[in-house]
Amino acid sequence: MRDVAIIGVGMIPFGRRDEDSLLDMLAYASLNALDDAGIGKKGVDAVYVANMGAGILQHQTSVASALVDRLGLMPAAADAVENGPASGASAIKNGLLAVASGYYDTVLVAGGEKMREVVGWKATDFVATMTHPEVEYPYGITLPGMAGMFTRLYMAKYGLTHEQLMAVAIKNQKMGTLNPFAHVDMVITKEGIHDSPDAVVNNPVAADPLHFYDMCPVSDGAAAVILCPAEKAKEITKNVPVIIAGFGQATDTHTLQEREDPTDLKAVTLAAEQAFKMAKLTPKDVDVAELHDAFTVLEIAESEHAGFFKKGEGGKAAEKGETGLNGKIPINVSGGLKSRGHPVGATGIAQVVEIVFQLRHALDKKRQVKNAKVGFTLNFGGFGNNVVAFVLRRSE
Amino acid sequence: MGLDMELESVLRAPALEMPPYPAKVITLANGKKMVVRQAKQTEVPVLLKAVRPTMTIEKDFYDIVGARLYAELLGWYRHRVRNEYCLVGQIDGYLVGIVNGRMVDKAIGMSYHTMAIDRGLKIGAHLFAAKMEHHIEYLGQDEVWITAESPIGFRRWMIEYDLIQQEGVQHELGGATSYKLTRDLYFASKARLVAGQRPAPKDLLEFALENLFIADEKAIKEKICGTLGGQR
């Protein structure tokens, strides 16, 4: 197996992009990644496209074939990858394996989702189609609902507090204001979302005990990366190559109630362990991480299950600022899903793009983790039933 | 040309007595304080300057809301709308939102428009709630008639307040379906949807009264349209 490098990355600002189709967004992000790698359209052997909902939301299928045609990349091989909100990282994994195996040399991986052309409850319903079709979905469960129940259990078992959840929300919204690709460009304060008598209106309960500002927004957006063999990276691009040093993927039961302990995100632990083992690194080696904070509680729970903190310590660490830009382990300094947004098919790729920016040392100093060499991403599918993790390393 | 005041007295309908709206201050999610107060008729020219740029923004039906709000405010200023009032939201003196409406009679209020100039902080929702508060609690009316021109308005008003659809009732804003808020519905939603503290701190209120700033046209368009979208 060959080492694989990321030589190009592309993003478009996430948000509400009324004027762009899904294909427009995928094309913009892909072109940005191809430009960034400096390879133009020539020499792309294969394309993997991550998308969860075009069949439902846009009544469109075969988005990979459509993207290849839009970009004029024929006759490149093209596949769409659907793995719920972990589609992005799954698509990168497929591209990684294709290059590592020696079968393809240059692979474009793009991911996108257009969720804002339906009203909010329809978007929530679309996301809920990933739940069990017989014992969860028909009873009206939604992902915010699951997150609310999970939070309640986590509070009971580990002493997680509202203040700790708020610390995540406030940090990520602040960092989002520094990220030009972020959907939400607005700081929030403890006074505004909790302390003030007006906070009950500003920040209502959404899925008890989670409030409005514990949730990520519904977003449109796309992101892309270009992969090639590490040994050829420096011949192809002037960018500092970033090596995919390790990956892991694990699954868990489809339904939450079948888990022995619903607060135990086993797939997160296993995916992270696999990725660190392959990279021959540990969580202590990580300089910057992007975790899947669709809900504030997930950033805390994942930070513990991935090995950055002991169980029950992640919330305290967030409250103490240890996950901030200058903290012990900076987490989601992009703003995370909470602020950058969560166009589900794009998210796993956007996380990797962010880490590549960090490892290239290409960001403004207000958001750059100083001298970052190793990064980690975790893309969380379902409610933890399909999780993909990467360890990325700057190539010196 | 001077006004013929004899004719003018015919054209100007007599107004009902309208108790004033007491100013309040809302702490927004970002910690900023928004003063919500009743606008003075003499401030209308400044308000029109803020509304004018929105009349070319198609997004979220700002063009329709802007054009109609402009006409309503102008009508109030030139004494061609009866019993109209306008509430404004200001942060650090800057105008961030406008709502208006009028009394049809002592019992019925007619909600006109809600325009948020700064977005993402529930300013429109807070100001709409203030408008309902004015009709029910200060003007003492029994119900408010409401319609929506944008999906956002429909979601914010009709769904969040669980408004009652009125068959065969004509809202003054045209042919769209009319809904109504009753006193019972208002008080059922008040704790959840109506924010603000009274009395407004003297320094904040005085500053807002003395300084009604409006952003420049470019900033107003950016705040409404956002900087996202349409960029590679």
Side-chain angles (χ1 to χ4, degrees), chain A residues 12-17 19-20 28 31-32 35 182-183 186-189 191-193 196-198 201-202 204 213, chain B residues 25-31 33 59-60 119-122 126 152 191-197 228-232:
Chain A
I12 57 171
F14 288 4
R16 192 178 126 193
R17 301 182 63 106
E19 63 277 33
D20 298 323
Y28 295 153
L31 290 169
N32 285 346
D35 286 349
H183 180 166
M186 189 183 95
V187 295
I188 52 176
T189 64
E191 182 190 17
I193 65 169
S196 155
D198 299 325
V201 181
N202 293 331
Y213 283 106
Chain B
V25 169
I26 300 175
T27 302
L28 301 172
N30 64 359
K33 310 285 182 189
K59 183 176 179 181
D60 295 330
R119 300 186 71 180
L121 287 163
K122 296 193 176 182
H126 284 313
I152 293 175
R192 187 169 54 88
L193 297 171
V194 184
Q197 309 306 313
L228 305 181
Q231 300 171 22
R232 279 187 54 188

Side-chain angles (χ1 to χ4, degrees), chain A residues 244-381:
Chain A
I244 303 180
F247 84 92
Q249 181 171 17
T251 53
D252 202 344
T253 62
H254 195 175
T255 65
L256 276 175
Q257 79 263 18
E258 286 180 290
R259 297 180 195 171
E260 192 179 340
D261 176 358
T263 65
D264 186 9
L265 300 173
K266 283 182 183 169
V268 172
T269 304
L270 290 171
E273 282 175 359
Q274 291 169 19
F276 283 119
K277 185 178 177 189
M278 182 175 167
K280 298 185 175 65
L281 294 169
T282 73
K284 286 182 181 166
D285 298 310
V286 173
D287 298 306
V288 56
E290 284 285 303
L291 304 183
H292 192 111
D293 58 327
F295 309 99
T296 49
V297 66
L298 286 183
E299 179 175 308
I300 291 169
E302 290 164 9
S303 72
E304 296 170 359
H305 286 79
F308 296 110
F309 301 104
K310 288 180 185 168
K311 298 271 180 71
E313 298 297 317
K316 294 173 194 165
E319 201 173 11
K320 281 190 233 164
E322 291 179 9
T323 54
L325 183 68
N326 299 310
K328 182 178 161 190
I329 170 66
I331 293 175
N332 289 334
V333 291
S334 64
L337 282 61
K338 173 80 187 75
S339 194
R340 182 181 54 223
H342 185 23
V344 282
T347 286
I349 299 174
Q351 291 177 312
V352 168
V353 170
E354 167 69 14
I355 294 296
V356 170
F357 286 146
Q358 289 284 354
L359 299 184
R360 284 181 183 173
H361 305 163
L363 294 170
D364 183 275
K365 66 180 178 185
K366 288 180 184 168
R367 209 161 68 73
Q368 175 68 51
V369 174
K370 206 172 174 183
N371 201 27
K373 289 180 180 166
V374 175
F376 176 83
T377 67
L378 190 123
N379 196 189
F380 186 86

Side-chain angles (χ1 to χ4, degrees), chain B residues 19 103 105-109 129 131-146 161-164 166 179-194:
Chain B
M103 290 177 78
D105 55 32
K106 284 190 175 177
I108 298 173
K131 176 160 63 170
M132 297 304 114
E133 180 185 41
H134 189 35
H135 280 286
I136 301 292
E137 296 200 46
Y138 298 106
L139 299 179
Q141 297 187 291
D142 295 333
E143 57 187 56
V144 189
W145 294 7
I146 301 157
Y161 286 80
D162 199 17
L163 298 182
I164 299 165
Q166 304 190 96
Y179 290 76
K180 70 176 177 183
L181 176 81
T182 62
R183 293 182 73 82
D184 286 348
L185 280 180
Y186 169 78
F187 285 109
S189 303
K190 183 180 175 183
R192 187 169 54 88
L193 297 171
V194 184

